[in-house]
Amino acid sequence: MDMEITVKQADKVTLVITCGFIDGKTAPAFQTKMLEVLCEADIVLLDLSQVSFMSSAGLRAMLVTHQQTQQGQSKTVALAALPDGIRDNMEATGFLPFFQVFDTVEAGFQGLG
Amino acid sequence: MNKINFEFSDTISGYVSSFDRGSDIFTLKTSDDREYAVKFSSSTDAWIANNLNEPRQKCGEQMRDMLEAGRHIFVYGIFYPETNGYAIEAQYLVFSGARLDEYLFEKQDWWVKQIHAIADFYLKAQFGDGPVDYKNYRTIITLDGKKQQDNYKQETDTISRLVYGFASAYMLTGDERFLEGAEKGTEYLREHMRFVDMDEGVTYWYHGIDVQGKRETKILASGFYDDFDTIPAYEQIYALAGPVQTYRVTGDPRILEDARQTVELFDRFFLDKEKGGYFSHLDPITLDPRSASLGANRAKKNWNSVGDHAPAYLINLYLATGDHRYGRMLEYTFDTIVKYFPDYDNSPFVQEKFHEDWSHDTTYMWQQNRGVVGHNLKIAWNLMRMFGELPKKEYEEFARKIAEVMPKVGCDLQRGGWYDVMERKLREGETCHRMGFHDRKAWWQQEQGILAYLILHGVLGDEEYLRIARESSAFYNAFFPDHEGGAVYFNVLANGIPYLMGNERLKGSHSMSGYHSCELAYLAQVCTNLLITKKPLTLHFKPLPGVLPNNLLRVAPDILPAGTVRISQVWVDDKQYKHFNADRLTVSLNNISERVTVKVQIEPTGGK
């Protein structure tokens, strides 16, 4: 299964909706898109509700994205609607505390807006 | 060309050839047989190079009596231009022992005392007088052991190197504080720096973590200039250095599993299964060595990615486990080095940077077509270690070749000591190889020179190798120990005076951090006692109960030629213990259910 990314702008927050697999095949494209979005946006909310699988390559891409937000200007990447499996993986690998996490996209908009 | 006709001061390293008390002038010959006449001045001082934590022994008026022919000395003097050349007046003399042919660094406990002092310095600098807590660890340590207090980065390799130093110091001294430093450091690395990739079945190690107050950010890709935004093999290799040396002491199976999974990373992602060798860098997302994102590091191989496995962790992993998988990997790395690194038709230095197809990379970043002196020497001493396990003729021949050519191009035959980075080729009109950047001498390059000739002599017996080992060790022990600040200096000037500028005034940088100085002390202690002066060596272990395969503790101090050493005595919790196999260098811990200290005395057998 492939991956699709849709970007929507809502006030201060840029919503990135990702669908499908983030794995060894798609992680580079995910990474490129995230960096592109982060060039323009300061606050990014990543909707992961439609991601059915995230491999270690996906986790590494998330980590590198996080690193980018720490360099230079202050940027925020928050996560919304994490499927349980992905939340567990991110927790086990110690990545979860790097991001603000919201249960739903709506909660994300409220928290970041 | 310039005519040099002004006074200057400098160091001469050589052997006394005569002394005339009437004129108060002595002569000395450098190791390449050039002779100088030196006059005592009214203020000439002299001392015997002292170990760390030992008082300096001044020679006073005895210095004239000590000028026996054949004695090795360093002379620092002022050179005055006179009608018939330069007159040299001595400012100070440094001896390596009180008697002719005495080299204090060959005393049975010299290197044990040195590693004790170095590990003490780092323990105190990082953790003060309290318990060891790596939250307090800092990468930057000043000359006298002070550290940063605010926001900071902790680097995986830097911690791992210090852990290696502590584990080695425990093995030689049995001081439990060093074991605490090694075990807690290993635990910290596992908890904070390790990524267990369950999808791929491999483990890799973060470059480090950024700590801002209580907040910790993991950094996956390297932050170092040469390796920026990649996963370099070098960092993964050195991440194992400390834990694996600790494993030799404790047998902790979790470390073994980390090592196994990291080796799996090397085999699955760094290994070039088609053209051989290990790639130097991976893309951090795809783990692809050929990714365009790697830029100058795309599809490259180098000394570190191929050769650093052995000294950093692989020999120690093999010693601790006896696992043939690691033995085969060792053989593979050395065979690869022997096949691709010699380049003597073009340069006296090995070729150490390669493209994927093993064609030579001579335009890489700062290295261009330059050779690192220490990498050449490090190849020699590690080939000779492997020769002890697998006596292949080509290992010996390559090591001998390096040993033959390096003194002419990488060693300072005037002042002593080993240089840093050199141009691999002469340009038109040049007769001597140019320095890559400067003529300073780094502590780690000296380690390579000492160990290369010490191990070559220990294994092959040539007296010439012993002479060069002694000269190298004399320079290091005369000029590198920091008797005021503690541990050893990063760099000295060509003349041996400490160079204390910029990063080189520090003692905790990613390259330093107690690794090379402790590695030198450990291996020099093993080689000097067991292979050269033929004295026993004591090692300490503290295995976790019930974790060792077949309850067998492997205590070989290093890979040494077969049959050269055996166990003479063993103590468990200070009581004599008889369940050991002297020739196989193993101690059986059957029926021991608690954690015990195991002290092992190893002695030379008298034959090779």
Side-chain angles (χ1 to χ4, degrees), chain B residues 14 30 40 66 143 275 281 287 326 345 360 404 417 424 452 483 489 497 528:
Chain B
T30 59
F40 278 100
M66 291 171 73
L143 193 65
K275 298 188 176 71
H281 296 78
L287 304 182
Y326 303 127
D345 290 340
H360 294 180
E404 177 198 331
R424 293 182 68 246
H483 296 289
Y489 295 115
I497 292 173
T528 302

Side-chain angles (χ1 to χ4, degrees), chain B residues 366-386:
Chain B
W366 61 268
Q367 186 145 4
Q368 300 291 308
N369 196 14
R370 300 181 179 116
V372 180
V373 174
H375 288 169
N376 287 259
L377 297 162
K378 198 168 186 178
I379 288 171
W381 63 263
N382 282 290
L383 278 170
M384 291 319 295
R385 290 169 92 191
M386 191 60 192

Side-chain angles (χ1 to χ4, degrees), chain B residues 173-331:
Chain B
T173 67
D175 188 327
E176 297 265 345
R177 295 172 308 137
F178 302 148
L179 180 58
E180 185 190 1
E183 287 192 286
K184 285 189 172 168
T186 299
E187 202 57 37
Y188 194 81
L189 288 169
R190 296 187 83 248
E191 276 179 24
H192 296 264
M193 312 296 194
R194 188 180 57 136
F195 186 129
V196 179
D197 187 331
M198 287 178 280
D199 295 333
E200 303 288 0
V202 299
T203 287
Y204 35 85
W205 303 80
Y206 297 115
H207 169 73
I209 54 176
D210 253 328
V211 182
Q212 307 237 337
K214 288 187 175 174
R215 191 152 177 253
E216 173 186 310
T217 301
K218 294 189 193 303
I219 306 163
L220 175 62
S222 181
F224 294 145
Y225 176 75
D226 287 4
D227 312 309
F228 198 72
D229 266 352
T230 72
I231 296 181
Y234 176 79
E235 291 185 8
Q236 300 302 311
I237 287 169
Y238 276 95
L240 288 182
V244 170
Q245 190 75 330
T246 305
Y247 177 76
R248 288 177 73 182
V249 177
T250 67
D252 185 338
R254 297 173 308 156
I255 301 176
L256 186 60
E257 181 57 12
D258 288 342
R260 190 191 66 75
Q261 290 226 84
T262 310
V263 170
E264 201 64 30
L265 171 79
F266 295 131
D267 281 350
R268 289 196 45 208
F269 295 99
F270 283 100
L271 181 66
D272 182 351
K273 295 180 180 74
E274 204 183 316
K275 298 188 176 71
Y278 293 89
F279 287 108
S280 59
H281 296 78
L282 300 181
D283 175 278
I285 308 295
T286 60
L287 304 182
D288 179 3
R290 298 181 183 86
S291 168
S293 70
L294 295 170
N297 290 314
R298 185 188 169 277
K300 295 287 179 68
K301 298 162 188 172
N302 61 28
W303 148 254
N304 298 113
S305 68
V306 177
D308 255 347
H309 295 273
Y313 73 91
L314 195 53
I315 285 178
N316 295 328
L317 191 54
Y318 183 55
L319 287 169
T321 61
D323 189 331
H324 293 300
R325 177 189 177 186
Y326 303 127
R328 285 193 297 273
M329 185 173 167
L330 277 171
E331 183 182 0

Side-chain angles (χ1 to χ4, degrees), chain B residues 53-258:
Chain B
N53 287 352
E54 286 187 349
R56 174 159 290 177
Q57 195 183 330
K58 294 274 195 169
C59 302
E61 269 312 299
Q62 250 192 324
M63 66 184 165
R64 288 176 172 78
D65 299 331
M66 291 171 73
L67 290 177
E68 299 156 281
R71 183 192 280 271
H72 182 262
I73 55 169
F74 295 101
V75 181
Y76 183 81
I78 301 175
F79 293 56
Y80 296 99
E82 299 292 358
T83 317
N84 296 321
Y86 275 90
I88 307 171
E89 293 191 7
Q91 293 279 294
Y92 57 78
L93 279 56
V94 186
F95 296 90
S96 295
R99 293 183 301 278
L100 181 66
D101 292 334
E102 181 184 56
Y103 293 90
L104 287 181
F105 46 79
E106 289 178 358
K107 280 177 71 175
Q108 196 175 359
D109 59 355
W110 176 274
W111 294 106
V112 178
K113 286 179 175 171
Q114 190 161 111
I115 203 170
H116 204 292
I118 291 168
D120 257 341
F121 169 85
Y122 283 102
L123 205 58
K124 194 166 174 54
Q126 292 291 0
F127 311 114
D129 296 322
V132 172
D133 183 349
Y134 276 80
K135 277 185 193 154
N136 299 325
Y137 176 90
R138 300 290 186 275
T139 302
I140 308 283
I141 294 287
T142 62
L143 193 65
D144 55 355
K146 293 198 171 55
K147 58 188 183 182
Q148 280 177 326
Q149 296 301 328
D150 48 3
N151 297 334
Y152 52 90
K153 184 198 278 187
Q154 292 183 329
E155 296 161 359
T156 300
D157 281 14
T158 319
I159 293 180
S160 180
R161 285 163 178 266
L162 183 59
V163 168
Y164 174 96
F166 286 147
S168 306
Y170 175 76
M171 289 174 81
L172 285 187
T173 67
D175 188 327
E176 297 265 345
R177 295 172 308 137
F178 302 148
L179 180 58
E180 185 190 1
E183 287 192 286
K184 285 189 172 168
T186 299
E187 202 57 37
Y188 194 81
L189 288 169
R190 296 187 83 248
E191 276 179 24
H192 296 264
M193 312 296 194
R194 188 180 57 136
F195 186 129
V196 179
D197 187 331
M198 287 178 280
D199 295 333
E200 303 288 0
V202 299
T203 287
Y204 35 85
W205 303 80
Y206 297 115
H207 169 73
I209 54 176
D210 253 328
V211 182
Q212 307 237 337
K214 288 187 175 174
R215 191 152 177 253
E216 173 186 310
T217 301
K218 294 189 193 303
I219 306 163
L220 175 62
S222 181
F224 294 145
Y225 176 75
D226 287 4
D227 312 309
F228 198 72
D229 266 352
T230 72
I231 296 181
Y234 176 79
E235 291 185 8
Q236 300 302 311
I237 287 169
Y238 276 95
L240 288 182
V244 170
Q245 190 75 330
T246 305
Y247 177 76
R248 288 177 73 182
V249 177
T250 67
D252 185 338
R254 297 173 308 156
I255 301 176
L256 186 60
E257 181 57 12
D258 288 342

